[in-house]
């Protein structure tokens, strides 16, 4: 399914921020904004919801912590108990202070790696994926705002011209 979008290009991030606020105030739907670098406050200006990746990071850290506890208990207490430094391995809880660094490191390891995998899957970024930026200049010095065409196209184009755009293109988005 394809839909018509208007790509308004800007050459300054401050002008883009003002334009995003004007477009949202006029109740037009912004499909996407492409920028060559992160623009502070753009997500709030676009009305995007906050991310929940911190919650997943905590859950992944808990998985790493649980795995570390299971792994150390199995290896050091059940499978092959060792007397290291005069400390007998009678139970996991007697030896837990020695295992704290390993539990911390595996919590961080699991959280970091699983968050990266989650981010790539959520963003639909996988190897050999073609870039989706509409104009190659968005990786250098141009900012592009894609606005969905729902009604009168000429009114929307004239409205966007008043926001300080440098160039306007009407395209089909697939």
């Amino acid at each position: 399914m394809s839909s018509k979008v208007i790509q308004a290009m800007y050459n300054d991030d401050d002008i883009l921020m003002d334009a995003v606020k004007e477009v949202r105030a006029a109740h037009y739907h912004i499909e996407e904004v492409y920028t060559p670098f992160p623009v502070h406050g753009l997500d709030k200006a676009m009305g995007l919801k906050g991310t929940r990746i911190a919650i997943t990071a905590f859950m992944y850290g808990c998985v790493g912590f649980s795995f570390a506890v299971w792994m150390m208990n199995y290896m050091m207490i059940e499978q092959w108990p060792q007397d290291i430094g005069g400390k007998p391995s009678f139970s996991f809880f007697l030896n837990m202070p020695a295992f704290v660094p390993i539990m911390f490191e595996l919590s961080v390891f699991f959280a970091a790696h699983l968050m990266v995998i989650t981010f790539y899957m959520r963003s639909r970024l996988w190897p050999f994926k073609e870039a989706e930026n509409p104009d190659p200049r968005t990786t250098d010095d141009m900012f592009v705002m894609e606005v969905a065409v729902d009604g009168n196209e000429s009114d929307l184009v004239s409205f966007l011209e008043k926001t300080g755009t440098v160039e306007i293109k009407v395209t089909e988005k697939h």
Side-chain angles (χ1 to χ4, degrees):
M1 180 179 161
S2 63
S3 59
K4 219 176 206 186
V5 293
I6 294 179
Q7 296 172 348
M9 297 190 189
Y10 300 90
N11 57 4
D12 186 32
D13 58 337
D14 293 327
I15 297 172
L16 172 74
M17 284 292 289
D18 294 337
V20 166
K21 291 173 185 174
E22 289 177 33
V23 168
R24 292 250 314 145
H27 302 293
Y28 289 112
H29 177 67
I30 300 173
E31 291 281 332
E32 189 67 65
V33 176
Y34 299 92
T35 63
F37 53 84
V39 178
H40 180 70
L42 184 61
D43 52 345
K44 290 194 188 314
M46 288 178 62
L48 298 177
K49 293 188 290 185
T51 180
R52 294 184 303 264
I53 197 143
I55 297 168
T56 60
F58 177 74
M59 291 189 310
Y60 294 152
C62 290
V63 169
F65 179 81
S66 301
F67 179 76
V69 168
W70 172 82
M71 178 187 74
M72 289 180 300
N73 184 52
Y74 179 74
M75 289 191 311
M76 299 297 288
I77 307 298
E78 294 176 17
Q79 180 67 21
W80 194 347
Q82 299 177 20
D83 187 0
I84 299 173
K87 298 178 186 173
S89 298
F90 295 131
S91 72
F92 177 78
F93 294 105
L94 291 175
N95 294 335
M96 194 170 74
F99 298 150
V100 167
I102 299 167
M103 291 186 288
F104 172 76
E105 291 297 330
L106 279 177
S107 297
V108 171
F109 179 84
F110 271 66
H113 285 81
L114 291 174
M115 273 182 14
V116 167
I117 292 169
T118 301
F119 174 75
Y120 283 149
M121 290 174 56
R122 181 73 179 107
S123 301
R124 295 186 184 107
L125 293 173
W126 41 79
F128 312 111
K129 184 177 190 259
E130 289 187 31
E132 293 181 3
N133 57 337
D135 193 298
R137 294 177 290 177
T138 59
T139 61
D140 186 26
D141 63 348
M142 295 295 281
F143 303 87
V144 175
M145 175 173 49
E146 284 187 348
V147 182
V149 178
D150 288 333
N152 193 345
E153 180 181 323
S154 60
D155 287 345
L156 183 55
V157 169
S158 64
F159 173 76
L160 288 172
E161 285 173 349
K162 295 175 189 171
T163 62
T165 183
V166 176
E167 182 181 332
I168 292 181
K169 287 195 275 186
V170 180
T171 60
E172 292 285 329
K173 187 169 183 173
H174 303 284

